[in-house]
Amino acid sequence: MRIGTYLAEKHGLDVTLIDYPDGFMATNLRSEKVTILPYSDEGATHVPADAILVLQAMNPWSIFPGLSVCRETRLIFWNCLPFNLVPALPGLREISYRTPALLMASLSTLLAGRRKTNRQLVEAMHGRHSIFFMDEENVGAVRRFLKARVDDPVFLPIPVADPDLSVVRQARDLHHSALRVVWVGRIADFKHHILVRAMLDLDGYSRQSKQAVELTIVGSGAFAARVADQGSELEFVDLTLINNVPPDQLDAFLTDRADIVMAMGTAALDGARLGIPTILLDPSYGPVSPAYLYRWLFQESGFTLGRILFDPASYPGGTPLTDMLSDFTADSQRLSQLSLTYVATNHALPKVATKLVYFAERATYKWGDLVDSGANRRDWIYRAFTFARNLVGRGR
């Protein structure tokens, strides 16, 4: 929505967003220059031939069934999650994504056909400049799990509004007040484990340093209850849970409530662009070990907004949380300026929007190419799983 609005208002492009009538974009769009096209799984939402259809990359058989797309429509995949194009056994997705051995075994046997199909799709779209990767973690996933050959990948980072580099955040006296830490983000399957680890480590820091810590968690999701249960066991951290902050109020909320942001993905950028030192957290589908180390967002490379964790051997390098928070106490303004500069250099909306326009003009893969490849046909294993699930449901 951000980049679409910018392209319409600043570049004068004809931008249409497709969303469910009650979806996030449909309910939060404020620009009159952007059109919202209502979508329904049972309907037929028409995409014209002269359009460029930009979709978040996904297993192509799962592309929204209510889309009616012309064969000549150009198609772009934006790969924004490492497992977007990595198939997993139906019903075993979460355990597969936290167990590389199981995932690789399934990709070599029951899912070998789909793996080959997706590999060929990635290579075909890459060869025609039509698949963009938000960061090097996403490229690494298709190389590792699909064995796709992706040389010289096209990187289109996640954008945020251009930061104000003149911002100077005043250091607070933490000798007489609490350190205020804020998490922002959905509490989803791959996010809640690292959030729990951060909560425990903050509690340990507060116990060890005698520094009061206030942790505010902004977010909702299927695993919110688990996080709340864990929060009730914290001994030293003062925890506040907030279901939601409206997007147009988030900047003011973070500016007023956060000394440090802990987040992944776009939420990490939302904090750093305000000059708030931001600790980048990593997604995991399983519990995160106490051996996990932390790093500031500005210490990352390859536009990465989180690296998939499997076991401790796979954890990225970093620094103990206690040391990072001591660094913050000693020189928060330096960390603030480094955060601003990092976002301005790598994720500022004007830069990313200009990249998208340039890359989109070169993209030549068409919807008809996808149809002819057969990649959007549902595989037997997914059909069988759906049939069995429906059969069980009717029997109840």
Side-chain angles (χ1 to χ4, degrees), residues 59-71:
N59 275 296
W61 59 261
S62 66
I63 291 175
F64 305 101
L67 289 179
S68 176
V69 188
C70 298
R71 287 184 57 86

Side-chain angles (χ1 to χ4, degrees), residues 130-182:
S130 300
I131 183 168
F132 311 153
F133 298 91
M134 65 162 269
D135 62 15
E136 65 180 18
E137 186 74 2
N138 281 262
V139 178
V142 298
R143 286 172 174 164
R144 176 180 180 182
F145 295 108
L146 298 183
K147 303 300 182 185
R149 182 173 180 176
V150 183
D151 299 322
D152 193 21
V154 175
F155 286 112
L156 186 68
I158 297 297
V160 289
D162 210 1
D164 182 357
L165 294 177
S166 67
V167 167
V168 177
R169 285 181 62 85
Q170 298 301 314
R172 295 175 63 244
D173 181 6
L174 296 179
H175 292 97
H176 302 97
S177 58
L179 174 66
R180 304 170 305 171
V181 180
V182 175

Side-chain angles (χ1 to χ4, degrees), residues 109-130:
T109 53
L110 293 173
L111 295 173
R114 171 49 61 178
R115 179 196 205 180
K116 179 181 179 181
T117 297
N118 283 11
R119 178 175 66 247
Q120 291 174 338
L121 174 67
V122 168
E123 292 176 349
M125 296 189 79
H126 176 61
R128 296 174 67 175
H129 314 291
S130 300

Side-chain angles (χ1 to χ4, degrees), residues 29-335:
L29 180 67
R30 298 292 180 264
S31 175
E32 296 182 355
K33 295 184 179 294
V34 178
T35 301
I36 282 284
L37 193 59
Y39 173 82
S40 169
D41 290 330
E42 290 74 34
T45 302
H46 295 281
V47 180
D50 60 350
I52 300 176
L53 178 61
V54 181
L55 295 175
Q56 182 168 179
M58 65 187 78
N59 275 296
W61 59 261
S62 66
I63 291 175
F64 305 101
L67 289 179
S68 176
V69 188
C70 298
R71 287 184 57 86
E72 294 303 308
T73 300
R74 285 189 285 164
L75 174 65
I76 289 173
F77 270 4
W78 191 1
N79 207 108
C80 295
L81 289 172
F83 291 126
N84 274 156
L85 286 161
V86 179
L89 290 170
L92 297 174
R93 183 178 70 93
E94 184 176 333
I95 190 172
S96 295
Y97 288 161
R98 71 169 182 255
T99 314
L102 173 61
L103 181 57
M104 293 299 287
S106 64
L107 291 171
S108 300
T109 53
L110 293 173
L111 295 173
R114 171 49 61 178
R115 179 196 205 180
K116 179 181 179 181
T117 297
N118 283 11
R119 178 175 66 247
Q120 291 174 338
L121 174 67
V122 168
E123 292 176 349
M125 296 189 79
H126 176 61
R128 296 174 67 175
H129 314 291
S130 300
I131 183 168
F132 311 153
F133 298 91
M134 65 162 269
D135 62 15
E136 65 180 18
E137 186 74 2
N138 281 262
V139 178
V142 298
R143 286 172 174 164
R144 176 180 180 182
F145 295 108
L146 298 183
K147 303 300 182 185
R149 182 173 180 176
V150 183
D151 299 322
D152 193 21
V154 175
F155 286 112
L156 186 68
I158 297 297
V160 289
D162 210 1
D164 182 357
L165 294 177
S166 67
V167 167
V168 177
R169 285 181 62 85
Q170 298 301 314
R172 295 175 63 244
D173 181 6
L174 296 179
H175 292 97
H176 302 97
S177 58
L179 174 66
R180 304 170 305 171
V181 180
V182 175
W183 154 281
V184 179
R186 289 186 302 117
I187 306 178
D189 48 1
F190 60 90
K191 293 186 177 184
H192 83 281
H193 290 293
I194 189 63
L195 176 54
V196 167
R197 169 48 48 203
M199 292 164 62
L200 293 173
D201 289 345
L202 283 170
D203 206 47
Y205 165 77
S206 183
R207 179 183 65 251
Q208 176 183 331
S209 67
K210 310 303 181 184
Q211 170 68 56
V213 175
E214 296 175 356
L215 173 61
T216 302
I217 295 177
V218 180
S220 59
F223 293 83
R226 296 190 191 183
V227 170
D229 288 343
Q230 183 65 59
S232 67
E233 299 179 10
L234 299 177
E235 298 182 48
F236 298 92
V237 168
D238 182 8
L239 178 64
T240 300
L241 302 173
I242 298 176
N243 186 61
N244 178 59
V245 172
D248 60 353
Q249 299 175 26
L250 183 59
D251 284 3
F253 178 88
L254 291 176
T255 300
D256 182 60
R257 296 282 292 270
D259 298 317
I260 291 175
V261 167
M262 302 181 83
M264 67 180 71
T266 305
L269 299 174
D270 285 335
R273 64 166 289 272
L274 299 173
I276 303 171
T278 298
I279 296 175
L280 183 65
L281 299 181
D282 297 298
S284 174
Y285 287 89
V288 179
S289 162
Y292 179 79
L293 299 175
Y294 295 81
R295 63 204 185 279
W296 300 107
L297 172 64
F298 62 75
Q299 293 175 318
E300 259 300 353
S301 62
F303 311 107
T304 300
L305 297 178
R307 298 183 182 274
I308 290 286
L309 305 178
F310 297 109
D311 53 42
S314 72
Y315 292 180
T319 304
L321 184 61
T322 53
D323 294 348
M324 294 188 68
L325 298 181
S326 295
D327 290 344
F328 172 84
T329 302
D331 196 355
S332 63
Q333 289 185 320
R334 178 182 66 87
L335 299 177

